Amino acid sequence: MSNISIDNNSPISIYQQIANQIKTDINKKILTPGDKIPSEKWFVDNLGVARGTVRKAISLLVKEGTLEKVQGKGTFVTKPQISYPFAQELVSYAETMKAKNINFSTQVIEKKIVKPTKEIQKKLKIDKEQEVLYLVRLRSVEDTPAILTFN
């Protein structure tokens, strides 16, 4: 953990300041997936805050999916949850990954111009003489293959 300091004059609650610092350490990769965060006692002793305040900060991050509590072992940083925000505005894969500070890559495996199938013609409302681009892409997250797309 980086040095956490609490600003008692801040309009931001103490538990939120603690949660924000943990998230900052995760975004800066000071804490990475699988890392154990310090104990509640560590936060109490080093920050001079109440145990309930620390629990509230940790509970908030557990609820968000940023941290995971393991009975008898401690609290750990989780792997980033990747979800596509369909309920919100439509954004690209790259925009989603960048917004979550996740390292990603896209590798084009196959790219060619083809005549569309009947199904594609119908979906795109084009005739059979129009050509379309066919792509096969491998998308990786943190150097691990995650998605294979056929477009």
Side-chain angles (χ1 to χ4, degrees):
M1 292 268 332
S2 64
N3 291 333
I4 296 180
S5 62
I6 299 301
D7 180 358
N8 290 319
N9 297 318
S10 173
I12 299 169
S13 64
I14 293 173
Y15 81 90
Q16 189 65 60
Q17 290 180 53
I18 294 168
N20 289 348
Q21 185 61 54
I22 292 169
K23 287 186 347 186
T24 297
D25 284 359
I26 292 168
N27 288 335
K28 289 182 175 179
K29 299 193 187 298
I30 294 168
L31 290 170
T32 59
D35 285 352
K36 183 178 178 181
I37 68 164
S39 67
E40 289 177 2
K41 184 177 179 347
W42 182 90
F43 285 101
V44 170
D45 292 347
N46 286 281
L47 300 178
V49 297
R51 183 170 242 131
T53 301
V54 175
R55 284 187 180 148
K56 192 168 183 179
I58 291 171
S59 292
L60 176 71
L61 296 175
V62 168
K63 189 174 183 181
E64 286 179 3
T66 303
L67 297 177
E68 175 184 28
K69 282 188 161 202
V70 178
Q71 186 68 34
K73 299 207 183 243
T75 305
F76 299 85
V77 177
T78 61
K79 289 186 179 182
Q81 301 298 313
I82 301 165
S83 62
Y84 204 81
F86 289 111
Q88 302 167 4
E89 65 184 63
L90 194 60
V91 294
S92 74
Y93 171 81
E95 289 170 325
T96 302
M97 297 296 107
K98 285 177 185 173
K100 294 185 177 212
N101 275 339
I102 298 172
N103 291 328
F104 68 94
S105 64
T106 300
Q107 176 185 1
V108 176
I109 296 179
E110 186 177 356
K111 179 173 94 171
K112 61 185 174 181
I113 304 293
V114 298
K115 297 283 183 187
T117 63
K118 287 184 182 185
E119 182 183 359
I120 299 290
Q121 291 171 39
K122 192 174 183 179
K123 284 185 178 180
L124 295 178
K125 297 179 182 162
I126 59 175
D127 63 52
K128 64 182 178 182
E129 298 307 314
Q130 287 184 280
E131 295 178 322
V132 295
L133 177 63
Y134 175 79
L135 280 176
V136 178
R137 295 180 288 182
L138 175 62
R139 294 190 159 164
S140 298
V141 176
E142 302 289 342
D143 296 323
T144 302
I147 304 169
L148 186 62
T149 63
F150 302 86
N151 310 77

